[in-house]
Amino acid sequence: MTRATKLLTALPPPQRQRLMTLAREVSFPEDTRIFEAGGTADRFWVLRSGAVSLDQQVTSVQRVTVASLGAGDLLGWSWLFPPYRWDFGAEAFSPVRAYEFEARAVLKLCEEDPALGLSLVRIVAEILAHRLETTRGRLMEQYGMNRRRII
């Protein structure tokens, strides 16, 4: 399995510095819903500390955690792709400190600096590929465990 890519450390220093001019420090208390699946994806975060769980609503009362994020991780990628709606929900599992970025400002910066835009898209793609690989592994483990019980 590949290692998790961290957005800010993967960007070359000059590009990271340009992106960080748009950062705003925010915090979320434990158990705060940060966003809901289907909501407007108009920002993203890079976690500085704490933990966030990504979840999917499976019934009207049940959510299933699909991933856990920690320091250095990117929270939110739906801002980059139409229709700009969150695919998952997110909740602070512990007190969280993060850098928040408004999508509109970041996209404008990417238009002004195409090299930064290309780097950002490639890094987000690496992050998504890693998360997909991790999720696939978990599903394979779950399927294998269930299959052993059936046999």
Side-chain angles (χ1 to χ4, degrees), residues 40-83:
T40 302
D42 61 355
R43 63 197 65 242
F44 66 95
W45 301 264
V46 174
L47 304 182
R48 297 177 58 214
S49 65
V52 171
S53 61
L54 295 178
D55 56 47
Q56 186 70 53
Q57 191 86 34
V58 292
T59 68
S60 61
V61 294
Q62 182 185 13
R63 295 179 199 271
V64 174
T65 298
V66 296
S68 297
L69 306 178
D73 285 334
L74 171 67
L75 172 59
W77 52 266
S78 299
W79 61 274
L80 194 52
F81 306 103

XYZ file of all heavy atoms in Angstrom, residues 40-83:
339
model
N -22.987 22.129 -0.036
C -22.121 22.872 -0.959
C -20.666 22.786 -0.508
O -20.332 23.137 0.621
C -22.547 24.355 -1.022
O -23.905 24.405 -1.439
C -21.672 25.134 -1.986
N -19.822 22.322 -1.413
C -18.386 22.185 -1.136
C -17.684 23.449 -1.628
O -17.331 23.563 -2.797
C -17.827 20.939 -1.818
N -17.498 24.391 -0.729
C -16.918 25.685 -1.115
C -15.633 25.993 -0.366
O -15.144 27.120 -0.402
C -17.937 26.799 -0.892
C -18.365 26.917 0.562
O -17.955 26.087 1.404
O -19.136 27.853 0.861
N -15.072 24.976 0.307
C -13.830 25.173 1.052
C -13.202 23.823 1.329
O -13.812 22.791 1.084
C -14.081 25.931 2.350
C -14.985 25.222 3.336
C -15.565 26.128 4.424
N -16.444 27.111 3.808
C -16.236 28.447 3.856
N -15.259 28.950 4.546
N -17.053 29.279 3.241
N -11.975 23.846 1.839
C -11.319 22.633 2.296
C -10.399 22.990 3.443
O -10.171 24.168 3.738
C -10.569 21.916 1.160
C -9.386 22.671 0.611
C -8.104 22.422 1.080
C -9.551 23.613 -0.393
C -7.004 23.109 0.568
C -8.460 24.301 -0.915
C -7.180 24.043 -0.431
N -9.895 21.972 4.120
C -9.059 22.160 5.289
C -7.847 21.247 5.224
O -7.900 20.165 4.647
C -9.833 21.816 6.566
C -11.068 22.621 6.769
C -11.198 23.757 7.519
C -12.366 22.373 6.223
N -12.491 24.221 7.469
C -13.226 23.381 6.679
C -12.890 21.382 5.385
C -14.565 23.448 6.330
C -14.224 21.432 5.030
C -15.044 22.455 5.500
N -6.775 21.689 5.842
C -5.625 20.827 6.121
C -5.541 20.772 7.640
O -5.415 21.817 8.305
C -4.320 21.366 5.507
C -3.133 20.513 5.945
C -4.425 21.401 3.975
N -5.678 19.563 8.177
C -5.704 19.405 9.628
C -4.334 19.670 10.230
O -3.322 19.174 9.728
C -6.170 17.996 9.991
C -7.529 17.579 9.433
C -7.889 16.175 9.909
C -8.613 18.571 9.807
N -4.318 20.438 11.294
C -3.081 20.712 12.026
C -2.964 19.789 13.226
O -1.878 19.357 13.587
C -3.059 22.172 12.474
C -3.047 23.123 11.282
C -3.096 24.573 11.695
N -1.987 24.899 12.555
C -2.051 25.778 13.553
N -3.165 26.406 13.818
N -0.993 26.027 14.280
N -4.091 19.518 13.885
C -4.119 18.608 15.034
C -5.531 18.082 15.187
O -6.491 18.668 14.672
C -3.672 19.321 16.311
O -4.593 20.347 16.649
N -5.646 16.980 15.909
C -6.950 16.382 16.142
C -7.267 15.312 15.121
O -6.425 14.933 14.305
N -8.503 14.828 15.180
C -8.942 13.754 14.297
C -10.347 14.039 13.788
O -11.191 14.565 14.519
C -8.922 12.422 15.041
N -10.576 13.679 12.534
C -11.868 13.862 11.881
C -12.274 12.527 11.270
O -11.452 11.836 10.675
C -11.792 14.942 10.774
C -13.058 14.980 9.936
C -11.495 16.306 11.375
N -13.537 12.179 11.428
C -14.042 10.979 10.768
C -14.898 11.399 9.577
O -15.695 12.334 9.670
C -14.840 10.107 11.738
O -15.951 10.801 12.227
N -14.671 10.718 8.449
C -15.516 10.882 7.277
C -16.573 9.792 7.352
O -16.239 8.636 7.643
C -14.714 10.736 5.990
C -13.659 11.785 5.721
C -12.922 11.460 4.425
C -14.280 13.164 5.635
N -17.825 10.149 7.082
C -18.869 9.150 7.216
C -19.855 9.215 6.070
O -19.916 10.188 5.331
C -19.592 9.298 8.559
C -20.166 10.676 8.791
O -20.814 11.233 7.884
O -19.970 11.223 9.892
N -20.593 8.125 5.949
C -21.645 8.001 4.946
C -22.926 7.620 5.660
O -22.921 6.717 6.495
C -21.262 6.913 3.933
C -22.202 6.798 2.774
C -22.100 7.979 1.834
O -21.025 8.321 1.367
N -23.207 8.639 1.574
N -24.002 8.309 5.361
C -25.312 7.994 5.942
C -25.842 6.755 5.217
O -25.987 6.769 4.003
C -26.253 9.177 5.741
C -27.527 9.089 6.501
C -27.389 9.636 7.910
O -26.655 10.572 8.147
N -28.100 9.032 8.830
N -26.105 5.661 5.954
C -26.597 4.434 5.327
C -28.080 4.204 5.593
O -28.749 3.533 4.827
C -25.770 3.193 5.745
C -24.373 3.272 5.166
C -25.722 3.022 7.237
N -28.586 4.729 6.695
C -30.028 4.728 6.968
C -30.355 6.095 7.552
O -29.453 6.906 7.778
C -30.437 3.626 7.982
O -29.903 3.953 9.269
C -29.971 2.248 7.534
N -31.608 6.327 7.843
C -31.983 7.633 8.381
C -31.361 7.904 9.745
O -31.264 9.047 10.165
C -33.506 7.760 8.472
O -34.022 6.760 9.335
N -30.914 6.857 10.444
C -30.325 7.050 11.767
C -28.892 6.532 11.892
O -28.251 6.757 12.907
C -31.189 6.370 12.863
C -32.529 7.058 12.979
C -31.352 4.895 12.596
N -28.385 5.845 10.871
C -27.055 5.243 10.992
C -26.056 5.832 10.010
O -26.322 5.916 8.820
C -27.136 3.730 10.773
C -25.791 3.045 10.945
C -25.856 1.559 10.615
O -26.820 1.072 10.041
N -24.816 0.840 10.976
N -24.907 6.218 10.566
C -23.768 6.675 9.760
C -22.664 5.630 9.909
O -22.448 5.106 10.995
C -23.221 8.002 10.270
C -24.142 9.170 10.172
C -23.448 10.415 10.759
N -24.381 11.443 11.105
C -24.792 12.388 10.262
N -24.352 12.411 9.030
N -25.655 13.298 10.663
N -21.930 5.408 8.821
C -20.800 4.492 8.844
C -19.534 5.296 8.580
O -19.478 6.070 7.616
C -20.958 3.381 7.777
C -19.712 2.521 7.697
C -22.174 2.546 8.067
N -18.532 5.141 9.441
C -17.255 5.815 9.235
C -16.516 5.137 8.094
O -16.343 3.917 8.105
C -16.404 5.778 10.517
O -17.107 6.485 11.546
C -15.045 6.435 10.304
N -16.100 5.943 7.113
C -15.387 5.397 5.957
C -13.904 5.724 5.986
O -13.116 5.083 5.293
C -16.021 5.852 4.623
C -17.432 5.313 4.487
C -16.024 7.361 4.491
N -13.509 6.713 6.782
C -12.097 7.058 6.901
C -11.890 7.930 8.132
O -12.821 8.606 8.580
C -11.607 7.808 5.663
N -10.689 7.879 8.652
C -10.287 8.742 9.767
C -9.086 9.551 9.325
O -8.158 9.002 8.734
C -9.935 7.896 10.995
O -11.070 7.183 11.424
N -9.124 10.836 9.600
C -8.059 11.746 9.181
C -7.397 12.359 10.404
O -8.046 12.571 11.423
C -8.628 12.850 8.301
C -9.447 12.406 7.089
C -9.988 13.630 6.353
C -8.621 11.531 6.164
N -6.102 12.672 10.261
C -5.357 13.286 11.347
C -4.462 14.402 10.844
O -4.605 14.885 9.706
N -3.532 14.800 11.669
C -2.648 15.933 11.375
C -1.987 15.790 9.999
O -1.475 14.734 9.649
C -1.584 16.060 12.457
N -2.054 16.883 9.241
C -1.451 16.929 7.914
C -2.376 16.488 6.800
O -2.094 16.722 5.622
N -3.501 15.848 7.145
C -4.405 15.322 6.122
C -5.290 16.404 5.519
O -5.670 17.370 6.187
C -5.299 14.222 6.699
C -4.564 12.915 6.914
O -3.560 12.657 6.215
O -5.000 12.131 7.774
N -5.631 16.200 4.261
C -6.572 17.045 3.541
C -7.984 16.618 3.900
O -8.324 15.436 3.831
C -6.361 16.878 2.031
C -7.401 17.516 1.108
C -7.343 19.036 1.201
C -7.190 17.040 -0.323
N -8.805 17.560 4.294
C -10.218 17.323 4.558
C -11.007 18.066 3.491
O -11.018 19.300 3.472
C -10.610 17.809 5.956
C -12.113 17.782 6.282
C -12.679 16.368 6.159
C -12.357 18.354 7.665
N -11.625 17.315 2.599
C -12.455 17.907 1.558
C -11.733 18.014 0.233
O -10.684 18.640 0.157
N -12.292 17.365 -0.774
C -11.774 17.493 -2.131
C -12.895 17.808 -3.121
O -12.641 18.129 -4.265
C -11.030 16.221 -2.551
C -11.823 14.954 -2.355
C -11.781 14.127 -1.269
C -12.785 14.387 -3.242
N -12.661 13.084 -1.432
C -13.293 13.214 -2.644
C -13.279 14.761 -4.489
C -14.253 12.415 -3.236
C -14.247 13.963 -5.086
C -14.716 12.798 -4.454
N -14.131 17.751 -2.677
C -15.271 17.961 -3.570
C -15.330 19.381 -4.134
O -15.982 19.615 -5.154
C -16.576 17.639 -2.832
O -16.589 16.280 -2.425
N -14.653 20.327 -3.506
C -14.604 21.711 -3.977
C -13.905 21.813 -5.333
O -14.064 22.797 -6.049
C -13.848 22.579 -2.971
C -12.434 22.119 -2.796
C -11.991 21.149 -1.941
C -11.289 22.567 -3.506
N -10.636 20.959 -2.087
C -10.175 21.829 -3.044
C -11.091 23.538 -4.494
C -8.892 22.013 -3.535
C -9.799 23.729 -4.975
C -8.715 22.969 -4.498
N -13.157 20.782 -5.703
C -12.340 20.815 -6.917
C -13.090 20.288 -8.139
O -12.678 20.534 -9.267
C -11.070 19.994 -6.672
C -9.913 20.112 -7.634
C -9.506 21.558 -7.871
C -8.725 19.309 -7.120
N -14.185 19.556 -7.927
C -14.868 18.887 -9.023
C -16.371 19.178 -9.009
O -17.007 19.058 -7.969
C -14.674 17.365 -8.914
C -13.232 16.955 -8.814
C -12.694 16.576 -7.588
C -12.414 16.949 -9.927
C -11.370 16.195 -7.487
C -11.087 16.569 -9.831
C -10.558 16.197 -8.613
N -16.938 19.527 -10.191
C -18.390 19.687 -10.254
C -19.057 18.375 -9.832
O -18.493 17.316 -10.085
C -18.660 19.989 -11.729
C -17.338 20.470 -12.278
C -16.285 19.768 -11.468
N -20.173 18.430 -9.194
C -21.085 19.554 -8.969
C -20.780 20.324 -7.672
O -21.646 21.047 -7.172
C -22.453 18.881 -8.883
C -22.160 17.563 -8.247
C -20.798 17.163 -8.774
